[in-house]
Amino acid sequence: MSHLVKADELTKFGTSVLLATGVPQADAHLLADSLVTAELWGHSSHGMLRLPWYVERLRSGAMEAVTKSEIVQDNGAIVVVDGHHGIGQTLTMEAVHLGIERARNHGISAVAVRNSNHFGTAAYFTRETAKAGCVAFLATNASPAMAPWGGKQKAIGTNPWSIAAPAGSKGVAVMDIANTAVARGKIYLAAERGQDIPPLWAADENGVPTTDAQKAIHGLILPMAGHKGYVISFMMDVLAGVLTGSNFGSTVAGPYDPTRRSGCGHLLITIDVKSMMSEGEFAERMEALINEIKDIPKADGTDEIFFPGELEDSNTRRLAEAGITIADNTWQSLHKLSTETGVALPTYFNPA
Amino acid sequence: MSHLVKADELTKFGTSVLLATGVPQADAHLLADSLVTAELWGHSSHGMLRLPWYVERLRSGAMEAVTKSEIVQDNGAIVVVDGHHGIGQTLTMEAVHLGIERARNHGISAVAVRNSNHFGTAAYFTRETAKAGCVAFLATNASPAMAPWGGKQKAIGTNPWSIAAPAGSKGVAVMDIANTAVARGKIYLAAERGQDIPPLWAADENGVPTTDAQKAIHGLILPMAGHKGYVISFMMDVLAGVLTGSNFGSTVAGPYDPTRRSGCGHLLITIDVKSMMSEGEFAERMEALINEIKDIPKADGTDEIFFPGELEDSNTRRLAEAGITIADNTWQSLHKLSTETGVALPTYFNPA
C-alpha cells in the first residue's frame, strides 16, 4: 500500500515536525524542502524516508537543532566554515551564498565546510549556484560504505559529488552521483519496500555479493566501475574531509546513526561564468551542446535522450501535478512522527 | 616480439624525433617525457605508440610545432589562454605554472585553455601541481567516443579528468580516469598487439558489443558505470570545452586524426593547501588516511592495497630499473620514424 500526497503538503508536514523538534523555521523549511525536492526528482531514496533519521539525530543532540556556523579562515576567494555539527542543508546553503558572492568578486571561490551533517542531495545546492549564473562543483564525504580496492572492510564513503552549470533556455545541466555501484539510499529504499536488489550492487558482511537488501545494509556496497569508483571516492574524501579540516575515512558517521556526531565535510567550488565569457555566449554554447545530444539517433527502446538533470526536471513537472507516492513503511514512520509531535499527517491527494 | 629499452633512451629518441619535426628543444623534451612517463607508470596505452600520431599532426600542420599561447582573459584568479593549436603538453604545463602562481596569490585559481591539443595523461600535470603543495583538478574534453545515454551515435569524448593532492611522506595521491568503460588507448594497444578486448568495453559501428579491437576502434566505447559515465563526461565537456571557449561535443578531433585541428580544451583548478591549513597538518592528515586504507584487511588474492597513484609510483621504480617493454608494432613505427628523421633508434637494454 502506498500513499499519494501533494508536495507542498509534505513540505508543510516536514517543516512543522522539525519546528516541533527545535529547528528554527527557515532551517526547518529548507531541510524539509530538500527532502521533498528529492521526491519530486523521482529520488525517493533521498526523500521523506530520511525525515525520521534527522529527527532522531536532533533529539539525541548528535545534530544541533540551531545551526551556528563560524568562519575560521577567510582569504577572500577561500573561506573555511566550521559548522559546529549544525544542519547540513543549512550549512551548505550558507556555503552556496558565500561561494557565489566570493566568485562574483574573484571569478572563482572555494568554501570548505567542516563538522557538518548529511546535506541531502548535492544537486539541491549546485542547482542554486547554477541558477545564479555560476558553475559549481560540490563534494561531500560520508560514512564508510566501500572497501578500498582489494580490501574487505569498509573505510571509504559513497562521497557524492555534483557539477552544475546554467544552460540558458534549457534551465540547468547537473550531474550528482555517489561513487558506489548504487547510492546507499537505494538499498534502504529496497529494504523499506521489502524488495531484492540487483546483483553487483553490494556484498554481505563477509564480502559475498548478495541480492538481499537487508544483508546489504550490514555489508559492503561495491564501488562503481571497479577501481575507478574507489579512486574517485578516495580523492573526494581528500577534498571534502582532509582539506576542509573535517573527519575523513572511517571516522565519519552516517545520517542513519542516531547518536554519533557526523563529522562530515563539504567542499564547494564556484566559478562565475562571466569571468570567462558573457552569460549569453555561455548559454548559447550550452544550448548547442544539449541540442546536439538530444538530436543523436536513439537506441532501440529509447524515447528521448536526456541531458544531465533533465529527467529530474521532467519528473518534477509530472509529480508536482500528480502527487508524490510514499511507500507504506515510510508512511508509518511519518505517522509515528505525527503522533510524537502532534503535527497532523499530510492529507491524501485524490487525483480528479 | 617485444623490445626492452631504458626510459632515458626512449626520451632521448622521442625528443630528437620531435626536434627534427620542428618542435623546440624544451617542448620536444616535455612531450617525449610525458609519453615515457606513461610507459613507466605501466600505461603503455598513453606511451610511445602515440609518438607517430603527434609527428603526423605536426607534419600536416594540424598541430603547430611552435606553441604560441596567448592570455585572452585575466582576472587574477581566472586566466583564459588561447593555445592557437600548439602542443597540448606545453600549453598544459604553462597552465600548471600559471595556476600555482595564481593560487599562491588568491588561494584558488582556474586556468582555462582553449584551442589546445591532446595533452597525454592528466596526472602528468596534476602531479606537478601537487608537488608544489597544491590540490589540483584538471579536466579535458576529447574527440567523440561514446553515445549519450540512450543514443547510438558518438557525440561525447572520454573526457579524462584528474585530482591530485600532496601526501607528505607518501608523495602524491592522484586519480586520473576516462569516463568510458575503458580508455580508448587500451583499445588501440590491444589492436596494436593483435589482442581481443574483454566484453562490455565497446560496441561496433552498429552498436553491437564486440571483443574485436579493430571493430571497436570504428565503433562505440561504452560509458563506465552506465549512465553515470555519460553524465560525468557531459559535465567535463561543459568545464573543458563550453566554459573555456574551445570546441565541444562532436566538433573535437582526436590525436589519431592526422589532419584536423583538435579544438580540445582543458580546465585546471588549483587550490593552495596553505590557504586552508598548514602544509604539515595537511600532510599528517593525508598520511593518516593513506595508512588507514593500507591497513584494511585484504581480500583473498590481494597482496597490497594501494592508495590512488601508488601503483604507478611502484611501477616507475621497477621499470626505471628493469627497462620498458615496447610492443613490436610500436617498435616498427618508431623504426619508421628513425628512418624518416635520421634519429638513431634507442639501443636495446640487456638486463645483467
Side-chain angles (χ1 to χ4, degrees):
Chain A
M1 183 187 169
S2 59
H3 307 258
L4 197 64
V5 190
K6 274 282 197 181
D8 53 1
E9 289 280 333
L10 278 178
T11 309
K12 209 174 109 191
F13 174 75
T15 304
S16 299
V17 165
L18 291 163
L19 211 52
T21 317
V23 178
Q25 168 71 31
D27 297 356
H29 182 268
L30 177 68
L31 201 167
D33 184 65
S34 76
L35 302 180
V36 175
T37 299
E39 296 279 0
L40 286 169
W41 290 341
H43 302 315
S44 309
S45 57
H46 287 70
M48 293 303 283
L49 82 83
R50 292 178 177 238
L51 181 62
W53 303 359
Y54 286 104
V55 170
E56 284 297 314
R57 290 181 58 75
L58 288 163
R59 285 179 181 156
S60 76
M63 182 162 97
E64 300 291 336
V66 180
T67 303
K68 289 177 184 157
S69 63
E70 180 192 3
I71 292 181
V72 292
Q73 186 106 349
D74 190 342
N75 309 343
I78 298 264
V79 185
V80 182
V81 177
D82 191 324
H84 294 304
H85 311 287
I87 294 170
Q89 281 84 346
T90 300
L91 292 164
T92 311
M93 198 54 91
E94 285 179 11
V96 163
H97 295 142
L98 258 176
I100 294 168
E101 178 198 313
R102 301 310 177 88
R104 295 256 189 268
N105 294 338
H106 301 275
I108 184 169
S109 70
V111 183
V113 183
R114 65 174 68 150
N115 300 320
S116 183
N117 270 287
H118 196 282
F119 59 35
T121 67
Y124 185 79
F125 304 98
T126 55
R127 279 178 180 265
E128 283 302 304
T129 306
K131 283 181 204 159
C134 296
V135 170
F137 169 91
L138 174 63
T140 187
N141 63 2
S143 56
M146 67 171 84
W149 195 245
K152 60 176 179 182
Q153 187 181 295
K154 289 189 276 193
I156 298 283
T158 58
N159 300 354
W161 54 289
S162 172
I163 298 175
S169 63
K170 309 290 184 182
V172 165
V174 55
M175 56 137 290
D176 178 3
I177 63 157
N179 303 307
T180 32
V182 61
R184 184 197 286 273
K186 289 212 165 65
I187 292 178
Y188 281 100
L189 185 66
E192 189 94 3
R193 291 181 171 168
Q195 293 168 346
D196 276 354
I197 56 170
L200 294 183
W201 274 17
D204 65 18
E205 59 188 341
N206 303 313
V208 181
T210 181
T211 57
D212 183 322
Q214 287 294 348
K215 285 185 182 168
I217 286 173
H218 303 290
L220 286 169
I221 298 177
L222 298 172
M224 71 169 184
H227 74 284
K228 288 186 182 183
Y230 157 57
V231 296
I232 295 172
S233 225
F234 182 102
M235 294 310 297
M236 293 303 164
D237 203 1
V238 170
L239 297 183
V242 178
L243 184 61
T244 62
S246 210
N247 289 11
F248 53 83
S250 66
T251 64
V252 180
Y256 41 81
D257 181 324
T259 56
R260 285 172 62 209
R261 294 293 200 191
S262 160
C264 74
H266 324 305
L267 184 72
L268 174 71
I269 296 173
T270 306
I271 298 176
D272 187 357
V273 165
K274 288 194 299 296
S275 68
M276 299 243 186
M277 67 180 66
S278 78
E279 286 186 287
E281 187 183 357
F282 186 76
E284 273 172 36
R285 292 165 65 83
M286 286 298 296
E287 288 163 8
L289 177 59
I290 288 171
N291 287 337
E292 177 175 40
I293 292 303
K294 293 192 69 75
D295 286 346
I296 291 292
K298 292 167 197 59
D300 290 353
T302 295
D303 291 328
E304 186 175 0
I305 295 174
F306 294 105
F307 65 88
E310 189 185 13
L311 185 60
E312 285 75 14
D313 289 338
S314 163
N315 285 340
T316 298
R317 282 190 296 273
R318 184 170 49 80
L319 296 179
E321 193 65 31
I324 291 164
T325 301
I326 301 291
D328 193 52
N329 277 1
T330 304
W331 187 259
Q332 296 312 323
S333 71
L334 299 186
H335 183 82
K336 186 161 170 283
L337 284 180
S338 166
T339 307
E340 289 165 356
T341 58
V343 175
L345 267 176
T347 48
Y348 278 42
F349 174 54
N350 296 308
Chain B
M1 183 185 168
S2 58
H3 307 258
L4 196 63
V5 190
K6 276 282 198 182
D8 53 0
E9 289 280 333
L10 279 178
T11 309
K12 209 174 109 192
F13 174 75
T15 304
S16 299
V17 166
L18 291 162
L19 210 52
T21 317
V23 178
Q25 168 72 32
D27 297 356
H29 183 269
L30 177 68
L31 201 167
D33 184 65
S34 77
L35 301 180
V36 175
T37 298
E39 296 279 1
L40 286 169
W41 289 342
H43 302 314
S44 309
S45 56
H46 287 71
M48 293 303 284
L49 82 84
R50 292 177 176 239
L51 182 62
W53 303 358
Y54 286 104
V55 170
E56 285 297 314
R57 291 179 58 74
L58 288 163
R59 284 178 181 156
S60 75
M63 181 162 98
E64 299 292 336
V66 180
T67 303
K68 289 178 185 157
S69 63
E70 179 192 3
I71 292 181
V72 292
Q73 185 106 351
D74 190 341
N75 309 343
I78 299 264
V79 185
V80 182
V81 177
D82 191 324
H84 293 303
H85 312 287
I87 294 171
Q89 282 85 346
T90 301
L91 292 164
T92 311
M93 198 55 91
E94 285 179 11
V96 163
H97 295 141
L98 258 177
I100 293 169
E101 177 199 314
R102 301 311 176 88
R104 295 255 189 270
N105 294 338
H106 301 275
I108 184 168
S109 70
V111 182
V113 183
R114 65 173 69 149
N115 299 321
S116 184
N117 270 287
H118 196 281
F119 59 36
T121 66
Y124 185 78
F125 304 97
T126 55
R127 279 178 179 265
E128 283 302 304
T129 306
K131 283 181 203 158
C134 296
V135 170
F137 169 91
L138 174 61
T140 186
N141 63 1
S143 56
M146 67 170 86
W149 197 245
K152 60 176 179 181
Q153 187 180 296
K154 288 190 277 192
I156 298 283
T158 58
N159 300 355
W161 55 289
S162 171
I163 298 175
S169 62
K170 310 289 183 181
V172 165
V174 55
M175 57 138 290
D176 178 2
I177 62 158
N179 303 307
T180 33
V182 61
R184 184 197 285 272
K186 289 213 165 65
I187 292 177
Y188 281 99
L189 184 67
E192 189 95 2
R193 291 181 171 169
Q195 294 169 346
D196 276 354
I197 55 170
L200 295 183
W201 275 16
D204 66 17
E205 59 188 342
N206 303 313
V208 181
T210 181
T211 57
D212 184 321
Q214 286 295 348
K215 286 185 182 168
I217 287 173
H218 302 289
L220 286 168
I221 298 176
L222 298 172
M224 71 170 184
H227 74 283
K228 288 186 182 183
Y230 158 57
V231 295
I232 295 172
S233 226
F234 182 102
M235 294 309 298
M236 293 303 164
D237 203 2
V238 170
L239 297 182
V242 178
L243 184 61
T244 62
S246 210
N247 288 10
F248 53 84
S250 66
T251 63
V252 179
Y256 40 83
D257 182 324
T259 55
R260 285 172 61 210
R261 294 291 200 192
S262 161
C264 74
H266 325 304
L267 183 72
L268 174 70
I269 296 173
T270 306
I271 299 176
D272 186 356
V273 165
K274 290 193 298 297
S275 69
M276 299 242 186
M277 67 180 67
S278 78
E279 285 186 286
E281 187 182 356
F282 186 76
E284 273 173 35
R285 292 165 65 83
M286 286 298 295
E287 289 163 7
L289 176 60
I290 288 170
N291 287 336
E292 177 175 40
I293 292 304
K294 293 192 68 75
D295 287 347
I296 291 291
K298 292 167 196 61
D300 290 354
T302 295
D303 290 328
E304 186 175 0
I305 295 173
F306 294 105
F307 64 86
E310 189 184 13
L311 185 60
E312 285 75 13
D313 288 337
S314 163
N315 285 342
T316 298
R317 283 189 295 274
R318 184 170 50 81
L319 296 179
E321 194 64 32
I324 292 165
T325 303
I326 302 290
D328 193 52
N329 277 1
T330 303
W331 187 259
Q332 296 311 324
S333 71
L334 300 186
H335 183 83
K336 186 162 171 282
L337 285 180
S338 166
T339 308
E340 289 164 357
T341 59
V343 174
L345 266 177
T347 49
Y348 278 40
F349 173 54
N350 295 308

